[in-house]
Amino acid sequence: QKLLAADPTNTSLQAQIVRALAAQGKFSTAKPIVDEAVKQSPGHPELIKLQWGVYRALGDWKAAIPIGEEMVKHDTAAADTVFYQQLVAAYLSDSQPVKAQEAAARGANKFQNNATLWITVAQLARRNGQIPQALDAINKVLAINPKYPGVNLQKAAIFSEQDNVDSLKET
């Protein structure tokens, strides 16, 4: 950190210090450093990714969510399945289940063959009272992997919520 005081615009050094502090669990100490680094180098993918990690580790969901969304604007490769799962978790931790469902749907649409993202869409749609969307997502899971754990139970629960006894008998 003393080196950083001598060269406060050195993004490589800033990133190294943030990673070292994060490895020690000192996220509160890393936060102002990564914030300043991102401020000095807006759009720098590595720094924004570090900032995303620091804010999630601190549980600062209100700030983490826009950082994550910004991160994938600058580095589309960062928008992988793990990112979408983390984004869904961030929205849920911030008590935004509708936004969580939207994030899961974006991920599932990007990764069409990812049954885990589709099951997440289904569960969130059910939670949000969007039963037709939940059934559509469950059917996508079944098309990807008919033996996905619990998928038939999820489908039966949806039919039950629809009072669709005839379809429930078929499940």
Side-chain angles (χ1 to χ4, degrees), residues 79-81 83-85 88 99-122 130 133 136-138 140-141 144:
D80 59 10
T81 57
F83 166 76
Y84 285 106
Q85 291 166 343
V88 166
K99 290 284 193 179
Q101 181 185 340
E102 291 170 6
R106 278 190 290 153
N109 284 317
K110 182 173 181 178
F111 299 98
Q112 291 280 320
N113 292 323
N114 188 297
T116 302
L117 285 169
W118 283 114
I119 201 83
T120 302
V121 171
Q130 298 175 347
Q133 291 91 332
D136 182 49
I138 284 296
K140 288 181 180 175
V141 173
I144 296 165

Side-chain angles (χ1 to χ4, degrees), residues 95-161:
S95 302
Q96 296 187 60
V98 173
K99 290 284 193 179
Q101 181 185 340
E102 291 170 6
R106 278 190 290 153
N109 284 317
K110 182 173 181 178
F111 299 98
Q112 291 280 320
N113 292 323
N114 188 297
T116 302
L117 285 169
W118 283 114
I119 201 83
T120 302
V121 171
Q123 291 168 339
L124 290 168
R126 276 186 62 216
R127 176 180 176 175
N128 294 331
Q130 298 175 347
I131 304 306
Q133 291 91 332
L135 183 57
D136 182 49
I138 284 296
N139 287 332
K140 288 181 180 175
V141 173
L142 285 165
I144 296 165
N145 180 0
K147 294 183 181 184
Y148 191 90
V151 70
N152 287 319
L153 181 60
Q154 291 280 335
K155 190 169 186 177
I158 291 168
F159 287 145
S160 175
E161 290 169 9

